[in-house]
Amino acid sequence: MVTTADRERGLPDGLVLRPCRPGDLDQVGALLAARGDPTDADDQRLVADDADTGLAATAVVVDGDRVVSTATLLPESIRVEDVVLPAGQVELVATDPAYEGRGLVRALMGWAHERSAAAGDLLQVMVGIPYFYRLFGYEYAIDIPPARPVRDVPAFPPSPAPALRRATPADLPELARLQDAAQAAADVAMPHPAARLRWLVTHRATTTWVLERDGAVVGSVRVPEPEDGVLLAEPTAVDTAAAESLLAAGRALADGRPVQVTDRPASVPGAAWADRLGAGSEEAQQYYVRVPDPGGLLDALRPVLSRRLAASGVDRGGRDVVVSTYGASWRMAVTDDGLGPVRAGGRLQGPGAVGGAGVAPDQLGGLLLGPLGMHGLTRRRPDVYPGRDPELYEALFPPLRADLLTYYLPY
């Protein structure tokens, strides 16, 4: 089905925004490599050549036959407890320096958001340069776990020791299974889609390794090209022994350089390595989130919210649950079966007067997906508050622990 996002559109100065074509790929790759990393061109080819994404995932702005700006929208899914939300992630964004300041990225972000909406996505999440994407409706919402230095690396066990080798396409089912297990305890999780797992076993910016024991894959780790040390990212392991062997293998890869790991405290490696890790950076690092349709997102999360309401023991007495972003509001009736469908309302500047909670629109992603919940946000933001029913709204919107996997490592 052709959507408005798939059509050419004119921009000022005779520029045109349109879907990427096969003849554009060399220019797109050259632009990405020049403005980012040389491996970005390879990554773009992987996206363009994959059946799950293809050329349609990328848009370009052209000046005649010259590609001067580009962006790609990748399909994602985000699990909140047991509800899976369709989402999109914008990546591989670049503009020719001679064309900066003309609103080309804004136009491309508009294209991406239209395409994401047409796909039924309820939110967008991304890793991006500081502040910039707040200009397009994004806000920092979900913590990025810190890379923590390893203080004590175990030695390999006696022979026969587990073997670390580069992952191949034949390992894809095991990689997916291991990552699913590692994310199982997270309240909010974004797995690698099948397409991205295919890319990650071939692209050059990072290497995916698997750990074998007695002929079976028992662990995995993703390692970027080393600089001053080695980072063991997205670690998985089936048990403590595999986690210890994975860390020992990381020391071998480091060859005397410092070793850091991406902390996943709810996973097997996270638990096994807890006493071996030093403190990570205290500098704030978060994923961007954009919520284009608050009512749609709240409605999708009703099964989760209904369970939280039931578990809270709060007697709502048949009154509606009300969430206001001040310029708009949403109501859910409390029924014997939980929360009823979301009903959109109008402006509601004082939601506390009707038993509702207020949340600034740019804080809604953090409220629904982030580590602070209603209680934490209320203590940081005057424009987020639970009104007259703090027990209810703090139960509905608790702090959440997240584990998100992205194309590029956020370190």
Side-chain angles (χ1 to χ4, degrees), residues 2-319:
V2 177
T3 70
T4 56
D6 298 312
R7 301 190 182 104
E8 291 189 5
R9 62 192 73 180
L11 300 177
D13 303 320
L15 304 182
V16 174
L17 189 157
R18 59 168 173 75
C20 186
R21 299 170 182 168
D24 299 324
L25 284 175
D26 286 344
Q27 289 194 67
V28 170
L31 179 59
L32 290 168
R35 298 309 313 272
D37 188 276
T39 60
D40 291 351
D42 298 335
D43 295 341
Q44 175 63 38
R45 286 282 182 174
L46 290 170
V47 173
D49 292 343
D50 196 281
D52 288 353
T53 47
L55 281 172
T58 298
V60 294
V61 176
V62 294
D63 186 354
D65 294 329
R66 180 183 177 189
V67 173
V68 298
S69 192
T70 186
T72 292
L73 177 72
L74 301 177
E76 305 285 357
S77 61
I78 296 178
R79 174 182 60 76
V80 181
E81 296 183 14
D82 63 345
V83 170
V84 177
L85 306 170
Q89 181 180 186
V90 181
E91 270 292 4
L92 296 163
V93 181
T95 298
D96 186 309
Y99 289 78
E100 289 182 336
R102 302 195 194 183
L104 304 189
V105 172
R106 181 174 293 279
L108 285 164
M109 294 300 289
W111 162 83
H113 296 157
E114 288 178 28
R115 184 174 176 82
S116 193
D121 296 341
L122 292 173
L123 67 161
Q124 289 85 36
V125 61
M126 69 181 300
V127 180
I129 60 177
Y131 176 72
F132 183 65
Y133 291 96
R134 292 174 64 186
L135 298 172
F136 312 119
Y138 290 79
E139 186 51 79
Y140 292 110
I142 301 172
D143 282 354
I144 295 172
R148 297 177 60 187
V150 179
R151 298 179 304 194
D152 175 26
V153 182
F156 265 129
S159 183
L164 192 70
R165 61 169 175 80
R166 292 175 183 265
T168 72
D171 297 312
L172 292 174
E174 289 302 302
L175 288 170
R177 179 183 63 81
L178 286 165
Q179 289 294 357
D180 286 347
Q183 292 189 315
D187 302 307
V188 178
M190 187 169 81
H192 285 310
R196 188 156 65 235
L197 280 176
R198 293 194 290 270
W199 308 336
L200 292 180
V201 299
T202 59
H203 84 153
R204 294 188 293 143
T206 62
T207 300
T208 299
W209 300 84
V210 294
L211 186 76
E212 281 190 323
R213 184 176 65 198
D214 300 327
V217 174
V218 294
S220 68
V221 70
R222 186 178 169 197
V223 181
E225 288 299 306
E227 295 180 356
D228 296 331
V230 167
L231 174 68
L232 307 181
E234 302 177 3
T236 72
V238 298
D239 53 35
T240 299
E244 294 287 276
S245 294
L246 193 66
L247 196 56
R251 179 174 67 173
L253 287 175
D255 193 25
R257 290 169 296 191
V259 179
Q260 290 185 303
V261 302
T262 301
D263 195 17
R264 302 178 91 175
S267 68
V268 171
W273 300 347
D275 295 335
R276 300 182 181 276
L277 305 182
S281 170
E282 295 184 357
E283 183 179 345
Q285 297 288 338
Q286 291 188 311
Y287 295 99
Y288 281 114
V289 171
R290 177 178 180 267
V291 180
D293 177 9
L297 182 55
L298 286 167
D299 202 53
L301 290 174
R302 275 193 302 126
V304 171
L305 299 176
S306 295
R307 282 197 304 274
R308 292 175 184 168
L309 176 61
S312 73
V314 174
D315 182 5
R316 188 60 177 166
R319 291 179 296 150

Side-chain angles (χ1 to χ4, degrees), residues 341-360:
V342 170
R343 310 189 314 276
R347 293 174 58 88
L348 186 57
Q349 192 65 37
V354 295
V359 53

Side-chain angles (χ1 to χ4, degrees), residues 326-340:
Y326 306 112
S329 59
W330 295 270
R331 292 175 174 266
M332 291 173 279
V334 178
T335 72
D336 292 340
D337 298 322
L339 295 175

